[in-house]
Amino acid sequence: MGTPCPPGSRVAQVCHSVWIHKQIREADARGEFAALPGAGKPLPGEVESTYDELWWVKRKMAREGFSVLPPTLALRKEAEDALQAAADAPSERVVRRIVEEINVKIRDVMFKPPPGPPLGLKPYDVEEVVRQWRERRAER
C-alpha cells in the first residue's frame, strides 16, 4: 500500500509523514505492538553502551551459541572447562572419557593448526588427571 500523496514536493514529504504516523496509530489501536518481544521490559544493557554497527551480529551469535573467540582460544576455554568437569565427575570412567575427548580435540589442533594465536596446550596425561581426581575424592 503506497502513500496517497503526490510525489516530488515538500507537501508530499509532509503528507507521507502524516500517513506514516496514521498507520502507526492504527496499528497501535489494533494492538499489533502489544505482544512484541521485550514489551514492558527495560532495554538491554548493551543498548546504553557506545554504538556498534555489528550489535545485531553479536546478539545473534550469543543467542545461537557461537563463539567470538578464535578457534584456539575457544579450545583453551573448552579444555579448562573439561578439566573442571573431570574434577567434578562422579566416576573414574567419566573422568577418563572427558579427558580423552578433549585430548582428541587438542591433538587435532596441534597437527592442523587453525588461524589465530597458537594453542599452547598439549594433551593431558589421563593417568595424572585420574590420580588427582582420586586424591580429591579421598579428601572428601
Side-chain angles (χ1 to χ4, degrees), residues 31-43:
E32 292 184 19
F33 301 125
L36 293 175
K41 298 178 185 171
L43 292 174

Side-chain angles (χ1 to χ4, degrees), residues 19-64:
W19 179 79
I20 289 172
H21 287 286
K22 179 179 180 255
Q23 296 295 315
I24 292 171
R25 279 192 311 275
E26 289 174 357
D28 189 34
R30 289 189 303 267
E32 292 184 19
F33 301 125
L36 293 175
K41 298 178 185 171
L43 292 174
E46 68 264 9
V47 172
E48 296 172 7
S49 64
T50 58
Y51 180 71
D52 181 6
E53 291 181 3
L54 297 176
W55 65 268
W56 63 275
V57 174
K58 292 176 182 173
R59 187 176 295 166
K60 173 79 171 169
M61 289 178 69
R63 191 172 55 243
E64 299 292 327

Side-chain angles (χ1 to χ4, degrees), residues 103-116:
N103 279 347
V104 168
K105 293 178 181 181
I106 291 171
R107 283 187 193 98
D108 285 348
V109 171
M110 285 174 62
F111 297 119
K112 296 177 274 182

